[in-house]
Amino acid sequence: MKEHGMYFGKKEFYQIIRNLGGTWNDSKERPILCLIKSLEHDNLYWAIPVGNYEHRDEKAKSRIQKYMNYDKKDIRSCFYHIGNTNEKSIFFISDVVPFTDKYIDREYLNKTKKIHIIKNKTLLSELEYKLKRILAFEKTKPNYFRQHITDTKNYLISELKTNPSKEAL
């Protein structure tokens, strides 16, 4: 897995979230951006779901803007970000999940048929800032977010420790 690369996750990964008591009810197949490597394990990454901004109706766009316009001190200002991948995109930062190579279904390909890697330093900086705030908040309130970030992270770390050779593939 490459930092700043975009992938599609396997359905079994999202089922793990549900099995752990979290909610993952997204019916769309969304790419995820593997933004940063976790400090807790070399093979664990923090991934953010990404959606097409233009697929949203005006009510949804207004809701996203409302969250993004909260005061910077308010954690809700970190829930979303709008930026460009190969199109105008929404980054669902509060839906962050820990992720490993084992659960990659396939790469999200750009127009040249290569994995899409985000290179815009300004965008990456903003996403990392918001992600780190979400993760810090999660540390103080484990499983606060609907996808049960802490339980999923602990599950994946346990899996990595139990089957380290599978992650090296």
Side-chain angles (χ1 to χ4, degrees):
M1 190 174 336
K2 298 177 183 175
E3 278 186 320
H4 309 150
M6 293 179 67
Y7 302 88
F8 289 98
K10 292 179 180 176
K11 289 181 181 167
E12 68 184 276
F13 173 74
Y14 303 108
Q15 187 57 50
I16 290 168
I17 292 170
R18 291 188 284 272
N19 292 348
L20 293 170
T23 301
W24 196 273
N25 54 10
D26 192 346
S27 60
K28 296 181 180 103
E29 184 183 43
R30 277 185 212 292
I32 57 169
L33 166 63
C34 289
L35 190 56
I36 56 176
K37 187 180 279 200
S38 170
L39 300 175
E40 296 176 70
H41 196 285
D42 274 347
N43 293 319
L44 186 72
Y45 290 80
W46 293 108
I48 300 170
V50 181
N52 186 321
Y53 183 76
E54 298 307 330
H55 290 171
R56 302 293 175 282
D57 61 23
E58 287 309 312
K59 184 178 177 185
K61 288 177 182 178
S62 177
R63 180 179 178 275
I64 290 164
Q65 285 297 332
K66 175 183 147 192
Y67 276 88
M68 289 178 54
N69 289 330
Y70 280 116
D71 187 279
K72 279 212 175 255
K73 293 177 189 171
D74 190 324
I75 191 66
R76 295 175 296 176
S77 70
C78 297
F79 285 10
Y80 301 101
H81 191 77
I82 297 172
N84 288 316
T85 54
N86 55 340
E87 55 199 15
K88 191 170 185 179
S89 299
I90 306 165
F91 297 88
F92 300 93
I93 302 167
S94 62
D95 285 340
V96 60
V97 288
F99 204 75
T100 65
D101 285 335
K102 177 181 178 180
Y103 296 105
I104 293 174
D105 183 45
R106 67 188 188 284
E107 297 173 337
Y108 177 82
L109 303 178
N110 62 23
K111 291 175 185 166
T112 63
K113 305 293 184 211
K114 294 182 181 169
I115 183 173
H116 189 83
I117 305 285
I118 294 181
K119 297 177 182 171
N120 180 319
K121 291 184 187 323
T122 304
L123 173 60
L124 291 169
S125 175
E126 192 66 27
L127 292 172
E128 288 177 16
Y129 167 78
K130 289 181 175 184
L131 174 59
K132 288 174 182 176
R133 288 215 35 223
I134 294 286
L135 295 175
F137 186 86
E138 173 72 14
K139 239 181 193 172
T140 65
K141 296 180 183 203
N143 297 320
Y144 175 85
F145 295 94
R146 64 186 173 176
Q147 69 275 27
H148 284 215
I149 298 168
T150 301
D151 285 349
T152 305
K153 175 192 73 172
N154 291 338
Y155 177 89
L156 292 176
I157 288 173
S158 173
E159 191 175 73
L160 287 165
K161 288 178 180 176
T162 304
N163 302 309
S165 62
K166 288 184 180 177
E167 287 305 310
L169 297 176

